[in-house]
Amino acid sequence: MREVVAGAVIGDGRLLLAQRTYPTDVAGLWELPGGKVEAGETREQALRRELGEELGIEVRVGRQLGDPVPLRADLVLVALAADLIKGSPRPEEHSAVRWVETPELESMAARGELVPADAAWLDDLIELLAVR
Ligand code: CDP
């Protein structure tokens, strides 16, 4: 079983979303950025590496957010809360990034603009934003 780790990154009280460019079924939709955990890495290490590579940011990784979401029989997606500690996100592999507050996140979810797996965490994300 492989894991994909996604970061619910909070900066200045807002949540970071990144717009996917591939595959075609999710291209244009917004996700919590992250990627696959490599052999020998912890989830935290993988998330810090992916966010550095994809966005050039440093984060402090916190607790697991919500429940894991099965992607395929051999792949599961796990979200971790994280705080931005350094840098300003520059999309290297995404088409754009944006910082959102709860109302915007809710509108995006209602319009189906989040990748389907991440939409399962909507309530957890709203709760995370409420305490920041
Ligand atoms: O770049 P890498 O192959 O490590 O990972 P990825 O392509 O970003 O993500 C692997 C899989 O997880 C893809 O099928 C993504 O669609 C999915 N994913 C997701 O559903 N939600 C996220 N927040 C991140 C990845």
Side-chain angles (χ1 to χ4, degrees):
M1 177 68 83
R2 299 232 18 216
E3 287 185 342
V4 180
V5 66
V9 179
I10 300 288
D12 272 335
R14 292 183 296 172
L15 173 72
L16 179 63
L17 294 177
Q19 190 173 32
R20 286 201 69 104
T21 58
Y22 72 93
T24 43
D25 55 326
V26 291
L29 300 184
W30 296 81
E31 69 172 4
L32 304 181
K36 292 194 189 76
V37 179
E38 301 295 343
E41 271 184 335
T42 64
R43 291 172 175 173
E44 174 177 342
Q45 287 167 340
L47 182 60
R48 289 169 47 82
R49 175 183 52 73
E50 289 282 354
L51 297 179
E53 288 172 2
E54 294 182 354
L55 298 165
I57 57 172
E58 276 182 39
V59 297
R60 182 183 306 112
V61 178
R63 66 175 171 88
Q64 184 177 326
L65 189 88
D67 294 320
V69 177
L71 291 174
R72 303 193 310 245
D74 60 342
L75 198 63
V76 65
L77 179 65
V78 176
L80 301 178
D83 289 303
L84 179 70
I85 54 175
K86 196 169 172 190
S88 173
R90 283 174 288 101
E92 301 285 351
E93 296 172 18
H94 293 88
S95 44
V97 293
R98 67 204 275 190
W99 292 101
V100 299
E101 295 179 352
T102 297
E104 194 177 359
L105 178 65
E106 287 180 311
S107 316
M108 291 172 76
R111 291 194 297 260
E113 292 173 0
L114 303 180
V115 303
D118 298 33
W121 295 319
L122 181 62
D123 290 345
D124 304 291
L125 292 168
I126 290 169
E127 195 187 311
L128 182 69
L129 281 163
V131 300
R132 298 296 161 138

